[in-house]
Amino acid sequence: MNSTKRINRLKEYMKEQAISAVFVFNPDHQFYLTNFKALIYSRPIIFHLQEKTAMIVPGLEETHAMEHSHADDVLVYYEHPDAGRDETSHMEHISALVKQSPKSSKIGVDLAFIPGEVLFYLQESGYQVVDIGQFIYQMRFIKDEDEIHMLEQAGQLVNLAVSKSLAQIKAGTTEMEIDAGGNAALFEATAAQYPDSVIDIVVMSPSGLKRSIMPHVFSNTRKIEAGDVIIHSRQVGLNGYRAELERTVIVGKPTSQQEKAFQAAIESQQRAIDFIKPGVKFSEVDGVAREVFEKAGLEKYAIHRTGHGIGISAHEQPFLRYDHHDVVEEGMAFSIEPGIYIPGVGGFRHSDTVLITSDGCRLITEYPRDMESLLF
């Protein structure tokens, strides 16, 4: 990760916009800029940039931040009486840092993530607060060579995990057991191939006519039955970067309605994959995928966008949706995942992660998408 290059780019933007200092609260933005990410429960972590960089962290993250962050300073606040320091709150460090900027100057923050009380404090202290978050998102749009390599590694792991999970499917198996098969293979492969690495797993296998039409529900102990539709959805993050792979499967013989919906979902995704390339609009990618559902008379069941950016975050900008009219650029990464959810019939969604090339896209996830391969 080239933190120095990213920090310098942000500094250039600050100079162009006459921004005196920046506070960043989004953990994924912080990771992008400093290589540091911690589990955040109730203790805030904040990145600060002026001339130097600093991470404001609670005492229990002090060693972690010193070891992993690329920040110039680690400013710590403590919640126990034997620290030998006075700072007991992140606000004390924010107050001291902001005073380095002249009153009425611009302070950049990521408005989508800053807590209201901090925003109110900065404004009440006489500073002009402006959004820096969208610019950081735009920095993250185009993946560099290191990021692409990490996405490819994550893609290999998610390919393995999905293949092992789907191999578990049979009547009587629970949704959780389906997920567990892939998880076990994932843990074994990561330990063998990527020692000292961190993985992050999101997986769900909603099954049956009722559960499969809810796009985001956690797996439970429901047992698979003949006639079930299952959407197996999985993301694997390796060392901070993730890839997504999803497949819809049918247990037993599909009904004519299920077969029609299944084929429409496959065709819609393939149309989007074939169409996406530098220069086309995000909305146009959504449009070609949605057109397949419209021709099949299923458009009212297509209740979400065709895809989303992917990288550090599970879902990140930019989005492939009908009202986003900026253009695709080489180096972007997307999950392409048009779906339909039909009451009494089932949910149908296939997802693959693609990297945008100079003349199209390249898949970094692999599993068969034809109906024959997805009948169990």
Side-chain angles (χ1 to χ4, degrees):
M1 169 182 285
N2 195 334
S3 295
T4 300
K5 183 177 179 180
R6 294 171 184 177
I7 294 296
N8 287 340
R9 186 178 174 194
L10 184 53
K11 281 184 175 180
E12 289 173 6
Y13 181 77
M14 291 168 63
K15 185 176 181 179
E16 292 169 4
Q17 301 297 318
I19 295 171
S20 175
V22 159
F23 292 96
V24 176
F25 293 80
N26 181 337
D28 289 348
H29 287 345
Q30 294 172 3
F31 176 75
Y32 181 75
L33 295 168
T34 71
N35 197 46
F36 178 71
K37 183 188 290 186
L39 288 174
I40 298 178
Y41 297 104
S42 56
R43 304 171 182 93
I45 294 174
I46 304 101
F47 170 74
H48 176 260
L49 171 62
Q50 197 159 11
E51 290 301 319
K52 298 170 64 178
T53 58
M55 293 298 304
I56 301 172
V57 301
L60 82 171
E61 297 293 350
E62 181 175 7
T63 302
H64 184 189
M66 294 290 291
E67 180 73 20
H68 289 282
S69 81
H70 295 170
D72 297 320
D73 295 319
V74 175
L75 307 176
V76 188
Y77 60 94
Y78 299 91
E79 57 185 0
H80 61 89
D82 299 319
R85 296 280 299 276
D86 293 332
E87 294 89 357
T88 61
S89 165
H90 62 287
M91 287 302 301
E92 294 172 66
H93 287 296
I94 290 175
S95 177
L97 289 169
V98 78
K99 288 175 182 175
Q100 298 175 13
S101 298
K103 287 291 181 70
S104 76
S105 64
K106 291 182 183 178
I107 301 294
V109 302
D110 46 343
L111 281 175
F113 284 84
I114 184 173
E117 63 268 21
V118 181
L119 175 62
F120 184 76
Y121 169 79
L122 294 174
Q123 291 173 328
E124 287 294 296
S125 299
Y127 296 95
Q128 180 184 352
V129 179
V130 297
D131 183 48
I132 198 79
Q134 188 57 39
F135 178 75
I136 300 174
Y137 270 125
Q138 290 169 355
M139 289 174 62
R140 290 171 53 188
F141 283 2
I142 309 297
K143 275 53 179 179
D144 62 27
E145 290 184 5
D146 290 338
E147 291 177 297
I148 289 172
H149 180 61
M150 288 187 281
L151 285 166
E152 291 170 336
Q153 291 178 319
Q156 294 170 0
L157 289 173
V158 78
N159 292 341
L160 171 69
V162 168
S163 67
K164 295 300 184 181
S165 275
L166 296 190
Q168 308 298 312
I169 294 176
K170 63 179 184 293
T173 302
T174 67
E175 294 175 0
M176 286 183 173
E177 288 171 331
I178 293 170
D179 297 349
N183 290 350
L186 181 60
F187 294 145
E188 182 178 354
T190 304
Q193 299 174 35
Y194 305 104
D196 299 320
S197 291
V198 175
I199 58 171
D200 178 15
I201 303 169
V202 177
V203 60
M204 49 194 167
S205 301
S207 63
L209 304 188
K210 292 183 178 180
R211 284 175 55 74
S212 68
I213 66 170
M214 294 182 280
H216 292 159
V217 289
F218 292 115
S219 297
N220 67 16
T221 57
R222 181 185 182 275
K223 292 184 177 181
I224 304 304
E225 302 173 358
D228 275 353
V229 176
I230 308 168
I231 300 179
H232 180 68
S233 176
R234 184 179 286 273
Q235 282 194 358
V236 175
L238 176 68
N239 294 327
Y241 283 82
R242 63 192 61 247
E244 176 176 302
L245 176 60
E246 300 172 338
R247 289 295 182 265
T248 300
V249 307
I250 299 176
V251 182
K253 182 175 175 59
T255 67
S256 59
Q257 288 178 301
Q258 289 172 339
E259 187 168 343
K260 175 184 177 181
F262 193 100
Q263 296 290 7
I266 292 174
E267 183 183 348
S268 177
Q269 190 204 24
Q270 190 61 55
R271 285 283 303 277
I273 291 171
D274 292 342
F275 179 81
I276 196 168
K277 63 182 178 181
V280 303
K281 296 178 181 179
F282 305 138
S283 55
E284 290 174 330
V285 181
D286 185 72
V288 299
R290 201 166 292 278
E291 184 181 16
V292 174
F293 295 137
E294 291 170 353
K295 288 182 177 179
L298 299 171
E299 67 275 11
K300 70 178 180 180
Y301 304 113
I303 57 176
H304 59 68
R305 64 200 173 208
T306 290
H308 56 81
I310 192 166
I312 295 173
S313 305
H315 286 194
E316 64 184 39
Q317 296 183 37
F319 302 122
L320 303 175
R321 52 177 281 172
Y322 76 100
D323 53 354
H324 286 201
H325 303 303
D326 289 335
V327 299
V328 175
E329 297 180 55
E330 183 177 359
M332 289 181 171
F334 292 99
S335 171
I336 297 185
E337 54 178 33
I340 45 176
Y341 309 89
I342 309 172
V345 178
F348 304 86
R349 183 179 72 251
H350 307 278
S351 171
D352 283 280
T353 302
V354 303
L355 297 173
I356 304 301
T357 61
S358 60
D359 59 354
C361 73
R362 176 166 60 88
L363 288 162
I364 63 168
T365 49
E366 293 181 6
Y367 192 87
R369 280 177 282 161
D370 61 286
M371 176 170 280
E372 183 178 352
S373 298
L374 294 168
L375 295 181
F376 287 79

